[in-house]
Amino acid sequence: ALNDRYKAAGKSTVVSISSSSGGGRLSEEDHTDYKSIDDHIINEPSQNSNSPSSKFLPTREWINLAFWSTLAWPLRMGDTFRSTGMYDSYWTPLAAYGVSRVAALAIGAIPGCIGGIPSLTTSLGLGLFYASRREQFERNVELLLAATKNNEHDHTPGFEETFLENEIEDKVRERNSEWGYRLRTVLGYAYFTCFMVLWDAEILDSTLTKKVEEK
């Protein structure tokens, strides 16, 4: 499960981040960030580069993630987001979805309500709720990626940890401040939830896989 893998990887994150070289500054040469993982998933979805015969076939890991993201997306989202510290409870996304369905019934009971409005309205609200934690998700993924590279160094922990975290936080905040990016995130969680859940799970899986490979 991604939750167990993230916990195992996270044990070394604090130490490795604090041992960053070069004053804790991130550079394109020595740091793979969230955006690069994101772009890789878009450009080369579900391909197994280690097996030429299955270049165009999805891997077993991707099939597993896609299965749960399609048939039980609230549970898949709960595992991904709780693993990275977004929610305290595994059941939060499912509970939010349940509340949205009850709200849709309540709106639909209003006399004269146009068909489709209840679901569209509550889905948008649900998208806003899920998207509110996406920035924190990206920040935690960036920290884990930074820890992957910094594991190669063995320096005495100092103020570099604070500088590195601040730089990552500024980068993530700047990316999420773009209205187009934020709109895509909200609408994605609202009306294309299964795809967004699979996307998040792939990003975390790719991050953890990269961390294991570089150790």
Side-chain angles (χ1 to χ4, degrees), residues 148-163:
T148 301
K149 181 61 183 178
N150 293 331
N151 264 338
E152 300 174 4
H153 305 286
D154 186 18
H155 297 274
T156 303
F159 292 104
E160 291 86 354
E161 177 182 356
T162 302
F163 295 144

Side-chain angles (χ1 to χ4, degrees), residues 5-25:
R5 291 173 60 192
Y6 184 86
K7 287 180 178 179
K11 292 179 180 179
S12 60
T13 301
V14 175
V15 175
S16 55
I17 288 176
S18 62
S19 60
S20 171
S21 62
R25 300 292 297 176

Side-chain angles (χ1 to χ4, degrees), residues 170-189:
D170 291 341
K171 180 197 294 187
V172 172
R173 184 180 296 113
E174 180 181 358
R175 181 167 59 235
N176 280 271
S177 65
E178 299 176 4
W179 71 269
Y181 187 86
R182 187 177 293 274
L183 181 64
R184 185 194 72 175
T185 301
V186 172
L187 294 181
Y189 280 122

Side-chain angles (χ1 to χ4, degrees), residues 17-39:
I17 288 176
S18 62
S19 60
S20 171
S21 62
R25 300 292 297 176
L26 296 176
S27 64
E28 296 297 332
E29 293 79 6
D30 65 0
H31 177 62
T32 303
D33 60 5
Y34 173 91
K35 190 65 169 59
S36 64
I37 294 287
D38 193 15
D39 291 340

Side-chain angles (χ1 to χ4, degrees), residues 100-101 104 107 113 116-128 190-191:
S100 74
R101 293 300 86 201
I107 296 174
C113 181
I117 293 298
S119 293
L120 290 175
T121 303
T122 55
S123 292
L124 181 59
L126 200 61
L128 289 169
Y191 305 114

